[in-house]
Amino acid sequence: MSPGSYITCLLTLFVVLVLVPNTHELQLSQAWSLLGIQRLVNYPSVLSNWSTNTDFCNADPNPYLTVVCYEESVTQLHIRGSENSPPLPRSFSIDSFFTTLSRLPNLTVLSLTSLGLWGPLPAKISRLSSLEIVNMSSNYLYGTIIQQVFSLNNLQTLILDHNMFSGRVPDAISKLHLLAVLSLRNNTFSGPLPKSFSVLESLRVLVLSSNSLSGDLPDLSRLTNLQVLNLENNYLGPNFPRLGRKVASIMLSKNMFGGGLPANLSSYYLLEQLDVSFNRFVGPFLPSLLSLPSIRYLNIAGNRFTGMLFQNMTCNDDLMFVDLSSNLLSGKLPTCLTSDSKNKVVLYSSNCLKIKDHSQHPSSFCQTQALAVGILPHKEMRVSGGRTAMVVGAATGIVVSVFLLGLAVFSVLRKINIKRAMKKPPRRIVEHASNGYPPKLLADARYIYQTMKLGALGIPSYRSFSLEELEAATNNFETSSLMGEGSHGQLYRGELKDGSLVAIRCLKLKKSQNSQNFNHHIELISKLRYHHLVSALGHCFEYHPDDSSVSRLFLIFEYVTNGTLRSNISVEGHKLTWIQRISTAIGVVKGIQFLHGGIIPGLFANDLKITNILLDQNLTAKISSYNLPVLAENMKAMVLAGSSSSGSNEPGGRTKHLDTIDIYDFGVILLEIVSGRPIISTNELAIMKDELQENIVADGTARRSIVDPIISRQCCDESLKVVMEICLRCLSEEPTQRPSVEDVLWNLKFAAQVQESWRGDSQSSEESPLSPSQPPQSPIILN
């Protein structure tokens, strides 16, 4: 061999061994594309570890960089640069950048934030036809949203916050039939919103704040899945938007909305946040907003709301922020707003309230202002000369007299209605609500919202664990770490290097299964993160050495240390109060609601038991057992052999009406919460159910014969009756007669409100329903 040929062979070998990326399962062309992206975005620090030796698919994910692969292709790319990154150099080409991206044709999730990208979106984005989630926030993108974006038929989440997009929001938005999240915050969009918004029935989150949008909103009442609406800091108005009743957050501050608030706001029973501050609203303030079942944040500042406040008005206990300032309110601040002032923020300056400080106007100011803006009749003010003062005085007197008369009538009617509400079971707000969602709706807005909240609570992000980590956490899975063993594998207690405790479930698998078979299961498990679930933290595969098939699957969950719900009810000295029990029941129902509709596909028939409900140090209820398909598939052989995987008390099996099976199981849990007696067998359940039915129609003391004696004197009769009635309906033999999740949640919140209004339980008025009343107990095994 000649020296030249020898050198050529060496160079070829060098290229193969050194310069070709270490891709393992990733296609070589896609690895080069990722390195091309690194070059095009000017080698940011977040990508400093990328090289030809990087194993992109198996690198540990972090909040700034994640690459997810499936079947030799990149399916998810998350890159987050430094905050306030400057624009990329003038040599950067957004067109070339998307040309390189298009070489990753199987991308379903593309998140490129704070990278300094600039330029208009190129038409080549349409080549990424598999995209489901796009987040390109905090860059320097400009121009309009081009039509090619609306050809992405699988798109479910579009987030373009903090850019420089302009023009009108295109009417073609209606083509994105699966769109669940649309966020265009802090751009320069202008003009009215297109009427085509009204057909986006999958939409759950709509954020358009800090733009220059104007005019009335289209009819959004058909968007029955809409939960979050944020239109702050625009020029929208004057009419209040028409919305569905399931909306949880309405943020309309700093716009041009006017007139009065719609009366049907009082029926928004899932509404948690309402901000209409700094608009042009006039007319009576709706006191019922203070006591909405889910309300936590209320801001009406900077308007011209009128009306008289009274000390005996009721408020939701969860209401933590109220701003009534700069309106025309009179009377006295409700006591419910001034109590528990350490945990509440209440602002009320610049009104005409009878409060001993210098922040209020005299009562005449509010009357004069109300006349000036036309809230009160002022035709008589046109009379000239000295008669003006007399006529205005007479008009004011008439108005005040009529107002006081109306107020008296209102007070009488309100008392009558309250008595009627106490005597009758509360009206069902939602009857048999459908849990059906589009099958491809993976980017669920509720999931995204809850994930953000979990991050704020300090729960770490979902990740893959190494087997070495788990062995170190459990001292090589020694016996002392084993908490239990059941049909769904072994459960170990572990302590990670950072000192955090985890629960580790170990599943032995058939030899024929490989990690690719479990990817869709892992995607679902990674979404099980909610403050009323024992949240999933990660997973780990152990492989057979001979054929690389999976031998064991480890699922890692958060560790909950305060015992089960049963132990906090039935163990002497650890008994929850009545209001704490209602609060815990509400937490369980919220967990069920998330399992059914907070992830796609939903999880039903979760074999709920009171021993599977754990309480953390704040007495927050967490469901620790749910119907994971990966567990069900692992049990399939036993089911075929004649074993039953279901422990439900429900009659007639668990094959139909999946959405009501958990309602029945919750009814069993609720019955034990009320009675304080463990329900071990179906025979005991039948006896107690009959006793419950008899007690509901009884009066006074007779009704309380089934109630746990510890709480019998703590609960008012009306609150107890509401809980007993919804419990009995949950236990209906006929699945179609059982209430919906929303119905159960509304009734329990109503029961809690009635209990708090009664104020007979001194403990509930002195401490939070979620405040611990006992020291932590030993952890209980996840079944």
PDB file of all heavy atoms in Angstrom, residues 559-585:
ATOM      1  N   TYR A 559     -43.142  10.486  47.903  1.00  0.00           N
ATOM      2  CA  TYR A 559     -43.349   9.732  49.136  1.00  0.00           C
ATOM      3  C   TYR A 559     -44.213  10.567  50.076  1.00  0.00           C
ATOM      4  O   TYR A 559     -43.879  11.711  50.391  1.00  0.00           O
ATOM      5  CB  TYR A 559     -41.992   9.435  49.771  1.00  0.00           C
ATOM      6  CG  TYR A 559     -42.014   8.508  50.947  1.00  0.00           C
ATOM      7  CD1 TYR A 559     -42.105   7.132  50.774  1.00  0.00           C
ATOM      8  CD2 TYR A 559     -41.918   9.001  52.244  1.00  0.00           C
ATOM      9  CE1 TYR A 559     -42.102   6.274  51.857  1.00  0.00           C
ATOM     10  CE2 TYR A 559     -41.908   8.148  53.328  1.00  0.00           C
ATOM     11  CZ  TYR A 559     -41.997   6.784  53.136  1.00  0.00           C
ATOM     12  OH  TYR A 559     -42.000   5.928  54.208  1.00  0.00           O
ATOM     13  N   VAL A 560     -45.331  10.010  50.496  1.00  0.00           N
ATOM     14  CA  VAL A 560     -46.292  10.737  51.340  1.00  0.00           C
ATOM     15  C   VAL A 560     -46.259  10.139  52.741  1.00  0.00           C
ATOM     16  O   VAL A 560     -46.407   8.917  52.910  1.00  0.00           O
ATOM     17  CB  VAL A 560     -47.712  10.661  50.745  1.00  0.00           C
ATOM     18  CG1 VAL A 560     -48.686  11.480  51.565  1.00  0.00           C
ATOM     19  CG2 VAL A 560     -47.699  11.154  49.301  1.00  0.00           C
ATOM     20  N   THR A 561     -46.097  10.981  53.753  1.00  0.00           N
ATOM     21  CA  THR A 561     -45.697  10.496  55.076  1.00  0.00           C
ATOM     22  C   THR A 561     -46.754  10.570  56.164  1.00  0.00           C
ATOM     23  O   THR A 561     -46.482  10.220  57.302  1.00  0.00           O
ATOM     24  CB  THR A 561     -44.480  11.303  55.558  1.00  0.00           C
ATOM     25  OG1 THR A 561     -44.832  12.693  55.611  1.00  0.00           O
ATOM     26  CG2 THR A 561     -43.303  11.124  54.627  1.00  0.00           C
ATOM     27  N   ASN A 562     -47.959  11.032  55.884  1.00  0.00           N
ATOM     28  CA  ASN A 562     -48.905  11.311  56.973  1.00  0.00           C
ATOM     29  C   ASN A 562     -50.022  10.280  57.075  1.00  0.00           C
ATOM     30  O   ASN A 562     -51.079  10.561  57.622  1.00  0.00           O
ATOM     31  CB  ASN A 562     -49.498  12.715  56.801  1.00  0.00           C
ATOM     32  CG  ASN A 562     -49.940  13.296  58.130  1.00  0.00           C
ATOM     33  OD1 ASN A 562     -49.497  12.866  59.186  1.00  0.00           O
ATOM     34  ND2 ASN A 562     -50.813  14.278  58.081  1.00  0.00           N
ATOM     35  N   GLY A 563     -49.823   9.093  56.520  1.00  0.00           N
ATOM     36  CA  GLY A 563     -50.791   8.024  56.701  1.00  0.00           C
ATOM     37  C   GLY A 563     -51.940   8.066  55.712  1.00  0.00           C
ATOM     38  O   GLY A 563     -52.044   8.948  54.865  1.00  0.00           O
ATOM     39  N   THR A 564     -52.830   7.080  55.837  1.00  0.00           N
ATOM     40  CA  THR A 564     -53.986   6.992  54.955  1.00  0.00           C
ATOM     41  C   THR A 564     -55.142   7.795  55.518  1.00  0.00           C
ATOM     42  O   THR A 564     -55.161   8.165  56.699  1.00  0.00           O
ATOM     43  CB  THR A 564     -54.430   5.533  54.785  1.00  0.00           C
ATOM     44  OG1 THR A 564     -54.957   5.055  56.028  1.00  0.00           O
ATOM     45  CG2 THR A 564     -53.285   4.648  54.351  1.00  0.00           C
ATOM     46  N   LEU A 565     -56.130   8.011  54.686  1.00  0.00           N
ATOM     47  CA  LEU A 565     -57.336   8.698  55.136  1.00  0.00           C
ATOM     48  C   LEU A 565     -58.028   7.885  56.224  1.00  0.00           C
ATOM     49  O   LEU A 565     -58.528   8.451  57.200  1.00  0.00           O
ATOM     50  CB  LEU A 565     -58.276   8.922  53.944  1.00  0.00           C
ATOM     51  CG  LEU A 565     -59.628   9.574  54.229  1.00  0.00           C
ATOM     52  CD1 LEU A 565     -59.459  10.885  54.975  1.00  0.00           C
ATOM     53  CD2 LEU A 565     -60.391   9.782  52.925  1.00  0.00           C
ATOM     54  N   ARG A 566     -58.043   6.560  56.073  1.00  0.00           N
ATOM     55  CA  ARG A 566     -58.678   5.727  57.117  1.00  0.00           C
ATOM     56  C   ARG A 566     -57.973   5.891  58.448  1.00  0.00           C
ATOM     57  O   ARG A 566     -58.635   6.032  59.488  1.00  0.00           O
ATOM     58  CB  ARG A 566     -58.665   4.257  56.696  1.00  0.00           C
ATOM     59  CG  ARG A 566     -59.177   3.320  57.801  1.00  0.00           C
ATOM     60  CD  ARG A 566     -59.249   1.888  57.348  1.00  0.00           C
ATOM     61  NE  ARG A 566     -60.407   1.679  56.477  1.00  0.00           N
ATOM     62  CZ  ARG A 566     -60.649   0.545  55.825  1.00  0.00           C
ATOM     63  NH1 ARG A 566     -59.791  -0.470  55.927  1.00  0.00           N
ATOM     64  NH2 ARG A 566     -61.722   0.420  55.076  1.00  0.00           N
ATOM     65  N   SER A 567     -56.651   5.893  58.454  1.00  0.00           N
ATOM     66  CA  SER A 567     -55.930   6.012  59.725  1.00  0.00           C
ATOM     67  C   SER A 567     -56.155   7.364  60.379  1.00  0.00           C
ATOM     68  O   SER A 567     -56.050   7.492  61.600  1.00  0.00           O
ATOM     69  CB  SER A 567     -54.434   5.779  59.499  1.00  0.00           C
ATOM     70  OG  SER A 567     -53.858   6.818  58.725  1.00  0.00           O
ATOM     71  N   ASN A 568     -56.469   8.375  59.583  1.00  0.00           N
ATOM     72  CA  ASN A 568     -56.739   9.701  60.145  1.00  0.00           C
ATOM     73  C   ASN A 568     -58.190   9.864  60.579  1.00  0.00           C
ATOM     74  O   ASN A 568     -58.576  10.917  61.073  1.00  0.00           O
ATOM     75  CB  ASN A 568     -56.375  10.787  59.126  1.00  0.00           C
ATOM     76  CG  ASN A 568     -54.886  11.065  59.076  1.00  0.00           C
ATOM     77  OD1 ASN A 568     -54.380  11.887  59.830  1.00  0.00           O
ATOM     78  ND2 ASN A 568     -54.182  10.355  58.214  1.00  0.00           N
ATOM     79  N   ILE A 569     -58.991   8.833  60.345  1.00  0.00           N
ATOM     80  CA  ILE A 569     -60.395   8.862  60.759  1.00  0.00           C
ATOM     81  C   ILE A 569     -60.669   7.864  61.874  1.00  0.00           C
ATOM     82  O   ILE A 569     -61.335   8.176  62.859  1.00  0.00           O
ATOM     83  CB  ILE A 569     -61.316   8.558  59.554  1.00  0.00           C
ATOM     84  CG1 ILE A 569     -61.287   9.724  58.571  1.00  0.00           C
ATOM     85  CG2 ILE A 569     -62.749   8.309  60.010  1.00  0.00           C
ATOM     86  CD1 ILE A 569     -62.048   9.451  57.303  1.00  0.00           C
ATOM     87  N   SER A 570     -60.119   6.653  61.741  1.00  0.00           N
ATOM     88  CA  SER A 570     -60.488   5.577  62.654  1.00  0.00           C
ATOM     89  C   SER A 570     -59.534   5.377  63.820  1.00  0.00           C
ATOM     90  O   SER A 570     -59.888   4.754  64.810  1.00  0.00           O
ATOM     91  CB  SER A 570     -60.596   4.255  61.874  1.00  0.00           C
ATOM     92  OG  SER A 570     -59.363   3.954  61.240  1.00  0.00           O
ATOM     93  N   VAL A 571     -58.279   5.903  63.704  1.00  0.00           N
ATOM     94  CA  VAL A 571     -57.314   5.718  64.790  1.00  0.00           C
ATOM     95  C   VAL A 571     -57.564   6.744  65.875  1.00  0.00           C
ATOM     96  O   VAL A 571     -57.667   7.944  65.601  1.00  0.00           O
ATOM     97  CB  VAL A 571     -55.870   5.832  64.254  1.00  0.00           C
ATOM     98  CG1 VAL A 571     -54.876   5.686  65.402  1.00  0.00           C
ATOM     99  CG2 VAL A 571     -55.620   4.764  63.193  1.00  0.00           C
ATOM    100  N   GLU A 572     -57.673   6.280  67.110  1.00  0.00           N
ATOM    101  CA  GLU A 572     -57.961   7.173  68.230  1.00  0.00           C
ATOM    102  C   GLU A 572     -56.840   8.194  68.387  1.00  0.00           C
ATOM    103  O   GLU A 572     -55.663   7.866  68.343  1.00  0.00           O
ATOM    104  CB  GLU A 572     -58.094   6.350  69.525  1.00  0.00           C
ATOM    105  CG  GLU A 572     -58.858   7.085  70.624  1.00  0.00           C
ATOM    106  CD  GLU A 572     -60.309   7.362  70.234  1.00  0.00           C
ATOM    107  OE1 GLU A 572     -60.928   6.493  69.601  1.00  0.00           O
ATOM    108  OE2 GLU A 572     -60.795   8.457  70.555  1.00  0.00           O
ATOM    109  N   GLY A 573     -57.217   9.438  68.549  1.00  0.00           N
ATOM    110  CA  GLY A 573     -56.237  10.503  68.711  1.00  0.00           C
ATOM    111  C   GLY A 573     -55.818  11.148  67.407  1.00  0.00           C
ATOM    112  O   GLY A 573     -55.113  12.134  67.400  1.00  0.00           O
ATOM    113  N   HIS A 574     -56.253  10.587  66.279  1.00  0.00           N
ATOM    114  CA  HIS A 574     -55.885  11.138  64.973  1.00  0.00           C
ATOM    115  C   HIS A 574     -57.129  11.422  64.140  1.00  0.00           C
ATOM    116  O   HIS A 574     -57.137  11.221  62.934  1.00  0.00           O
ATOM    117  CB  HIS A 574     -54.976  10.165  64.228  1.00  0.00           C
ATOM    118  CG  HIS A 574     -53.688   9.887  64.917  1.00  0.00           C
ATOM    119  ND1 HIS A 574     -52.684  10.817  65.043  1.00  0.00           N
ATOM    120  CD2 HIS A 574     -53.240   8.781  65.553  1.00  0.00           C
ATOM    121  CE1 HIS A 574     -51.667  10.296  65.699  1.00  0.00           C
ATOM    122  NE2 HIS A 574     -51.983   9.047  66.027  1.00  0.00           N
ATOM    123  N   LYS A 575     -58.191  11.864  64.786  1.00  0.00           N
ATOM    124  CA  LYS A 575     -59.461  12.042  64.088  1.00  0.00           C
ATOM    125  C   LYS A 575     -59.537  13.439  63.463  1.00  0.00           C
ATOM    126  O   LYS A 575     -59.290  14.445  64.125  1.00  0.00           O
ATOM    127  CB  LYS A 575     -60.617  11.855  65.065  1.00  0.00           C
ATOM    128  CG  LYS A 575     -60.652  10.459  65.713  1.00  0.00           C
ATOM    129  CD  LYS A 575     -61.819   9.679  65.201  1.00  0.00           C
ATOM    130  CE  LYS A 575     -61.914   8.319  65.872  1.00  0.00           C
ATOM    131  NZ  LYS A 575     -63.092   7.576  65.449  1.00  0.00           N
ATOM    132  N   LEU A 576     -59.915  13.465  62.200  1.00  0.00           N
ATOM    133  CA  LEU A 576     -60.122  14.740  61.523  1.00  0.00           C
ATOM    134  C   LEU A 576     -61.436  15.362  61.959  1.00  0.00           C
ATOM    135  O   LEU A 576     -62.409  14.669  62.267  1.00  0.00           O
ATOM    136  CB  LEU A 576     -60.145  14.529  60.008  1.00  0.00           C
ATOM    137  CG  LEU A 576     -58.893  13.948  59.352  1.00  0.00           C
ATOM    138  CD1 LEU A 576     -59.120  13.803  57.858  1.00  0.00           C
ATOM    139  CD2 LEU A 576     -57.678  14.809  59.620  1.00  0.00           C
ATOM    140  N   THR A 577     -61.486  16.701  61.946  1.00  0.00           N
ATOM    141  CA  THR A 577     -62.732  17.406  62.226  1.00  0.00           C
ATOM    142  C   THR A 577     -63.668  17.262  61.026  1.00  0.00           C
ATOM    143  O   THR A 577     -63.267  16.792  59.955  1.00  0.00           O
ATOM    144  CB  THR A 577     -62.471  18.893  62.487  1.00  0.00           C
ATOM    145  OG1 THR A 577     -61.968  19.490  61.283  1.00  0.00           O
ATOM    146  CG2 THR A 577     -61.456  19.078  63.605  1.00  0.00           C
ATOM    147  N   TRP A 578     -64.908  17.704  61.187  1.00  0.00           N
ATOM    148  CA  TRP A 578     -65.886  17.590  60.102  1.00  0.00           C
ATOM    149  C   TRP A 578     -65.457  18.414  58.889  1.00  0.00           C
ATOM    150  O   TRP A 578     -65.498  17.945  57.755  1.00  0.00           O
ATOM    151  CB  TRP A 578     -67.251  18.020  60.601  1.00  0.00           C
ATOM    152  CG  TRP A 578     -68.327  18.071  59.534  1.00  0.00           C
ATOM    153  CD1 TRP A 578     -69.069  19.140  59.167  1.00  0.00           C
ATOM    154  CD2 TRP A 578     -68.762  16.977  58.721  1.00  0.00           C
ATOM    155  NE1 TRP A 578     -69.941  18.803  58.166  1.00  0.00           N
ATOM    156  CE2 TRP A 578     -69.783  17.467  57.872  1.00  0.00           C
ATOM    157  CE3 TRP A 578     -68.397  15.635  58.625  1.00  0.00           C
ATOM    158  CZ2 TRP A 578     -70.427  16.672  56.931  1.00  0.00           C
ATOM    159  CZ3 TRP A 578     -69.049  14.838  57.683  1.00  0.00           C
ATOM    160  CH2 TRP A 578     -70.054  15.351  56.857  1.00  0.00           C
ATOM    161  N   ILE A 579     -65.032  19.658  59.124  1.00  0.00           N
ATOM    162  CA  ILE A 579     -64.662  20.500  57.989  1.00  0.00           C
ATOM    163  C   ILE A 579     -63.396  19.974  57.319  1.00  0.00           C
ATOM    164  O   ILE A 579     -63.223  20.075  56.103  1.00  0.00           O
ATOM    165  CB  ILE A 579     -64.479  21.985  58.417  1.00  0.00           C
ATOM    166  CG1 ILE A 579     -64.510  22.906  57.185  1.00  0.00           C
ATOM    167  CG2 ILE A 579     -63.239  22.183  59.245  1.00  0.00           C
ATOM    168  CD1 ILE A 579     -65.837  22.946  56.475  1.00  0.00           C
ATOM    169  N   GLN A 580     -62.484  19.371  58.097  1.00  0.00           N
ATOM    170  CA  GLN A 580     -61.306  18.751  57.499  1.00  0.00           C
ATOM    171  C   GLN A 580     -61.695  17.544  56.649  1.00  0.00           C
ATOM    172  O   GLN A 580     -61.096  17.283  55.608  1.00  0.00           O
ATOM    173  CB  GLN A 580     -60.317  18.338  58.589  1.00  0.00           C
ATOM    174  CG  GLN A 580     -59.561  19.509  59.217  1.00  0.00           C
ATOM    175  CD  GLN A 580     -58.724  19.083  60.408  1.00  0.00           C
ATOM    176  OE1 GLN A 580     -59.021  18.078  61.051  1.00  0.00           O
ATOM    177  NE2 GLN A 580     -57.681  19.836  60.699  1.00  0.00           N
ATOM    178  N   ARG A 581     -62.713  16.813  57.097  1.00  0.00           N
ATOM    179  CA  ARG A 581     -63.154  15.640  56.329  1.00  0.00           C
ATOM    180  C   ARG A 581     -63.783  16.071  54.999  1.00  0.00           C
ATOM    181  O   ARG A 581     -63.545  15.442  53.966  1.00  0.00           O
ATOM    182  CB  ARG A 581     -64.145  14.814  57.157  1.00  0.00           C
ATOM    183  CG  ARG A 581     -63.522  14.215  58.404  1.00  0.00           C
ATOM    184  CD  ARG A 581     -64.445  13.259  59.111  1.00  0.00           C
ATOM    185  NE  ARG A 581     -63.931  12.947  60.451  1.00  0.00           N
ATOM    186  CZ  ARG A 581     -64.230  11.857  61.138  1.00  0.00           C
ATOM    187  NH1 ARG A 581     -65.052  10.953  60.642  1.00  0.00           N
ATOM    188  NH2 ARG A 581     -63.714  11.658  62.340  1.00  0.00           N
ATOM    189  N   ILE A 582     -64.583  17.135  55.044  1.00  0.00           N
ATOM    190  CA  ILE A 582     -65.157  17.621  53.782  1.00  0.00           C
ATOM    191  C   ILE A 582     -64.050  18.087  52.845  1.00  0.00           C
ATOM    192  O   ILE A 582     -64.062  17.797  51.647  1.00  0.00           O
ATOM    193  CB  ILE A 582     -66.149  18.775  54.046  1.00  0.00           C
ATOM    194  CG1 ILE A 582     -67.320  18.308  54.913  1.00  0.00           C
ATOM    195  CG2 ILE A 582     -66.679  19.320  52.722  1.00  0.00           C
ATOM    196  CD1 ILE A 582     -68.313  19.412  55.232  1.00  0.00           C
ATOM    197  N   SER A 583     -63.080  18.825  53.398  1.00  0.00           N
ATOM    198  CA  SER A 583     -61.979  19.322  52.587  1.00  0.00           C
ATOM    199  C   SER A 583     -61.190  18.172  51.967  1.00  0.00           C
ATOM    200  O   SER A 583     -60.791  18.222  50.793  1.00  0.00           O
ATOM    201  CB  SER A 583     -61.048  20.187  53.448  1.00  0.00           C
ATOM    202  OG  SER A 583     -59.967  20.658  52.704  1.00  0.00           O
ATOM    203  N   THR A 584     -60.977  17.103  52.736  1.00  0.00           N
ATOM    204  CA  THR A 584     -60.275  15.933  52.217  1.00  0.00           C
ATOM    205  C   THR A 584     -61.082  15.265  51.104  1.00  0.00           C
ATOM    206  O   THR A 584     -60.537  14.861  50.072  1.00  0.00           O
ATOM    207  CB  THR A 584     -60.017  14.934  53.356  1.00  0.00           C
ATOM    208  OG1 THR A 584     -59.245  15.573  54.378  1.00  0.00           O
ATOM    209  CG2 THR A 584     -59.261  13.720  52.851  1.00  0.00           C
ATOM    210  N   ALA A 585     -62.402  15.142  51.318  1.00  0.00           N
ATOM    211  CA  ALA A 585     -63.266  14.553  50.289  1.00  0.00           C
ATOM    212  C   ALA A 585     -63.224  15.371  49.009  1.00  0.00           C
ATOM    213  O   ALA A 585     -63.192  14.820  47.901  1.00  0.00           O
ATOM    214  CB  ALA A 585     -64.697  14.442  50.812  1.00  0.00           C
TER     215      ALA A 585
END
